Amino acid sequence: MLVVGRWQLRAAMRAAEETAAAGLAQANAIYRAALDAVRAQGHIEHVKWRRGIQRDSYAAFLQSVLRYHDYASNLEPSTEDEELRSRTAGLKPLEAEMSHKGWVVRLEGPEEVSAAARDLQLAATTLAIVIRGHALQMSAVASISGQIQDHPREVARIWELIPIL
C-alpha cells in the first residue's frame, strides 16, 4: 500500500508539474499576444500621428504659397517708385514663410512630395519675379507716357531705345 501511495504521489506531482508548465506556457502565450496587440496598436497610432503631421505641414505650405502668390498677383504698377518698392518689399516675409514651410514639407514628406514642393516654391518665386518686373515696366511706361507732353523728343528717343534694351 505504501508503494501504491508513493506511485500515486509521484503521478500527482507529475500531473501538477505538467499542469503548471501548461499554465505557464498559456500565460506566456497570452502575455505575448497582449504585447503584440499593444505594439500593433502603438504602430497604428504612430502612423496616424505621422500622417497628421505630414498633412498639417503640407496644408501649411500650400497656404503660404497661396498667400505669397496672391500678394504678388496684387502688385500693380505705380507712378511712385517708392510705393512700388515698399509693396514688393512685402513679398520678403511671405517668401521667408514659404521657404520655412517648404523645408518642413521636405523633412516630413517622401521624396516625391519634397520634389513637388521644391518645384512649386520655385514656380511661385519665379512668377513673383515676373509680376514684379511687369509692374516695374508698366510703372516706367506710365511715367514715360506722363512725360510725353513736356518732353516729346526725349520720350520719342526713349521709345526707340526700349526695344533695343
Side-chain angles (χ1 to χ4, degrees), residues 15-30:
E17 286 175 3
E18 289 173 6
T19 302
L24 283 175
Q26 184 178 11
N28 194 19
I30 290 171

PDB file of all heavy atoms in Angstrom, residues 15-30:
ATOM      1  N   ALA A  15       1.621  15.310 -12.648  1.00  0.00           N
ATOM      2  CA  ALA A  15       0.447  15.976 -13.203  1.00  0.00           C
ATOM      3  C   ALA A  15       0.437  17.454 -12.811  1.00  0.00           C
ATOM      4  O   ALA A  15       0.124  18.326 -13.632  1.00  0.00           O
ATOM      5  CB  ALA A  15      -0.833  15.285 -12.735  1.00  0.00           C
ATOM      6  N   ALA A  16       0.811  17.737 -11.569  1.00  0.00           N
ATOM      7  CA  ALA A  16       0.863  19.127 -11.105  1.00  0.00           C
ATOM      8  C   ALA A  16       1.940  19.900 -11.862  1.00  0.00           C
ATOM      9  O   ALA A  16       1.738  21.054 -12.257  1.00  0.00           O
ATOM     10  CB  ALA A  16       1.117  19.180  -9.603  1.00  0.00           C
ATOM     11  N   GLU A  17       3.122  19.244 -12.065  1.00  0.00           N
ATOM     12  CA  GLU A  17       4.206  19.893 -12.813  1.00  0.00           C
ATOM     13  C   GLU A  17       3.786  20.159 -14.262  1.00  0.00           C
ATOM     14  O   GLU A  17       4.040  21.240 -14.803  1.00  0.00           O
ATOM     15  CB  GLU A  17       5.464  19.035 -12.780  1.00  0.00           C
ATOM     16  CG  GLU A  17       6.173  19.050 -11.452  1.00  0.00           C
ATOM     17  CD  GLU A  17       7.358  18.080 -11.424  1.00  0.00           C
ATOM     18  OE1 GLU A  17       7.656  17.448 -12.474  1.00  0.00           O
ATOM     19  OE2 GLU A  17       7.980  17.959 -10.369  1.00  0.00           O
ATOM     20  N   GLU A  18       3.142  19.162 -14.869  1.00  0.00           N
ATOM     21  CA  GLU A  18       2.685  19.335 -16.247  1.00  0.00           C
ATOM     22  C   GLU A  18       1.609  20.410 -16.335  1.00  0.00           C
ATOM     23  O   GLU A  18       1.589  21.229 -17.270  1.00  0.00           O
ATOM     24  CB  GLU A  18       2.174  18.011 -16.804  1.00  0.00           C
ATOM     25  CG  GLU A  18       3.280  17.012 -17.063  1.00  0.00           C
ATOM     26  CD  GLU A  18       2.763  15.636 -17.452  1.00  0.00           C
ATOM     27  OE1 GLU A  18       1.531  15.494 -17.632  1.00  0.00           O
ATOM     28  OE2 GLU A  18       3.581  14.727 -17.568  1.00  0.00           O
ATOM     29  N   THR A  19       0.697  20.449 -15.357  1.00  0.00           N
ATOM     30  CA  THR A  19      -0.339  21.471 -15.319  1.00  0.00           C
ATOM     31  C   THR A  19       0.287  22.850 -15.132  1.00  0.00           C
ATOM     32  O   THR A  19      -0.104  23.821 -15.792  1.00  0.00           O
ATOM     33  CB  THR A  19      -1.339  21.180 -14.185  1.00  0.00           C
ATOM     34  OG1 THR A  19      -1.905  19.882 -14.388  1.00  0.00           O
ATOM     35  CG2 THR A  19      -2.450  22.218 -14.140  1.00  0.00           C
ATOM     36  N   ALA A  20       1.283  22.926 -14.243  1.00  0.00           N
ATOM     37  CA  ALA A  20       1.968  24.205 -14.019  1.00  0.00           C
ATOM     38  C   ALA A  20       2.700  24.644 -15.288  1.00  0.00           C
ATOM     39  O   ALA A  20       2.666  25.819 -15.663  1.00  0.00           O
ATOM     40  CB  ALA A  20       2.939  24.087 -12.850  1.00  0.00           C
ATOM     41  N   ALA A  21       3.388  23.697 -15.958  1.00  0.00           N
ATOM     42  CA  ALA A  21       4.100  24.024 -17.197  1.00  0.00           C
ATOM     43  C   ALA A  21       3.116  24.474 -18.274  1.00  0.00           C
ATOM     44  O   ALA A  21       3.366  25.458 -18.995  1.00  0.00           O
ATOM     45  CB  ALA A  21       4.905  22.826 -17.674  1.00  0.00           C
ATOM     46  N   ALA A  22       1.984  23.782 -18.398  1.00  0.00           N
ATOM     47  CA  ALA A  22       0.973  24.164 -19.383  1.00  0.00           C
ATOM     48  C   ALA A  22       0.392  25.536 -19.028  1.00  0.00           C
ATOM     49  O   ALA A  22       0.167  26.383 -19.914  1.00  0.00           O
ATOM     50  CB  ALA A  22      -0.135  23.121 -19.454  1.00  0.00           C
ATOM     51  N   GLY A  23       0.178  25.794 -17.745  1.00  0.00           N
ATOM     52  CA  GLY A  23      -0.338  27.097 -17.298  1.00  0.00           C
ATOM     53  C   GLY A  23       0.653  28.211 -17.605  1.00  0.00           C
ATOM     54  O   GLY A  23       0.274  29.300 -18.064  1.00  0.00           O
ATOM     55  N   LEU A  24       1.946  27.962 -17.364  1.00  0.00           N
ATOM     56  CA  LEU A  24       2.976  28.956 -17.675  1.00  0.00           C
ATOM     57  C   LEU A  24       3.061  29.208 -19.178  1.00  0.00           C
ATOM     58  O   LEU A  24       3.196  30.362 -19.612  1.00  0.00           O
ATOM     59  CB  LEU A  24       4.331  28.505 -17.145  1.00  0.00           C
ATOM     60  CG  LEU A  24       4.550  28.669 -15.643  1.00  0.00           C
ATOM     61  CD1 LEU A  24       5.890  28.056 -15.234  1.00  0.00           C
ATOM     62  CD2 LEU A  24       4.527  30.133 -15.258  1.00  0.00           C
ATOM     63  N   ALA A  25       2.976  28.142 -19.954  1.00  0.00           N
ATOM     64  CA  ALA A  25       3.017  28.297 -21.408  1.00  0.00           C
ATOM     65  C   ALA A  25       1.815  29.107 -21.892  1.00  0.00           C
ATOM     66  O   ALA A  25       1.953  29.995 -22.751  1.00  0.00           O
ATOM     67  CB  ALA A  25       3.056  26.933 -22.090  1.00  0.00           C
ATOM     68  N   GLN A  26       0.648  28.807 -21.326  1.00  0.00           N
ATOM     69  CA  GLN A  26      -0.547  29.542 -21.716  1.00  0.00           C
ATOM     70  C   GLN A  26      -0.450  31.010 -21.285  1.00  0.00           C
ATOM     71  O   GLN A  26      -0.779  31.922 -22.050  1.00  0.00           O
ATOM     72  CB  GLN A  26      -1.786  28.890 -21.094  1.00  0.00           C
ATOM     73  CG  GLN A  26      -3.082  29.535 -21.541  1.00  0.00           C
ATOM     74  CD  GLN A  26      -4.306  28.850 -20.942  1.00  0.00           C
ATOM     75  OE1 GLN A  26      -4.183  28.024 -20.039  1.00  0.00           O
ATOM     76  NE2 GLN A  26      -5.466  29.199 -21.458  1.00  0.00           N
ATOM     77  N   ALA A  27       0.030  31.256 -20.071  1.00  0.00           N
ATOM     78  CA  ALA A  27       0.191  32.634 -19.589  1.00  0.00           C
ATOM     79  C   ALA A  27       1.207  33.388 -20.452  1.00  0.00           C
ATOM     80  O   ALA A  27       1.009  34.564 -20.793  1.00  0.00           O
ATOM     81  CB  ALA A  27       0.629  32.629 -18.129  1.00  0.00           C
ATOM     82  N   ASN A  28       2.297  32.705 -20.821  1.00  0.00           N
ATOM     83  CA  ASN A  28       3.312  33.310 -21.674  1.00  0.00           C
ATOM     84  C   ASN A  28       2.724  33.653 -23.051  1.00  0.00           C
ATOM     85  O   ASN A  28       2.982  34.727 -23.597  1.00  0.00           O
ATOM     86  CB  ASN A  28       4.511  32.374 -21.804  1.00  0.00           C
ATOM     87  CG  ASN A  28       5.721  33.060 -22.390  1.00  0.00           C
ATOM     88  OD1 ASN A  28       5.806  34.284 -22.388  1.00  0.00           O
ATOM     89  ND2 ASN A  28       6.660  32.274 -22.882  1.00  0.00           N
ATOM     90  N   ALA A  29       1.931  32.744 -23.589  1.00  0.00           N
ATOM     91  CA  ALA A  29       1.300  32.988 -24.896  1.00  0.00           C
ATOM     92  C   ALA A  29       0.324  34.164 -24.808  1.00  0.00           C
ATOM     93  O   ALA A  29       0.284  35.019 -25.708  1.00  0.00           O
ATOM     94  CB  ALA A  29       0.585  31.727 -25.379  1.00  0.00           C
ATOM     95  N   ILE A  30      -0.458  34.215 -23.744  1.00  0.00           N
ATOM     96  CA  ILE A  30      -1.405  35.322 -23.557  1.00  0.00           C
ATOM     97  C   ILE A  30      -0.638  36.638 -23.417  1.00  0.00           C
ATOM     98  O   ILE A  30      -1.009  37.657 -24.008  1.00  0.00           O
ATOM     99  CB  ILE A  30      -2.314  35.058 -22.339  1.00  0.00           C
ATOM    100  CG1 ILE A  30      -3.274  33.909 -22.642  1.00  0.00           C
ATOM    101  CG2 ILE A  30      -3.087  36.322 -21.943  1.00  0.00           C
ATOM    102  CD1 ILE A  30      -4.068  33.432 -21.446  1.00  0.00           C
TER     103      ILE A  30
END
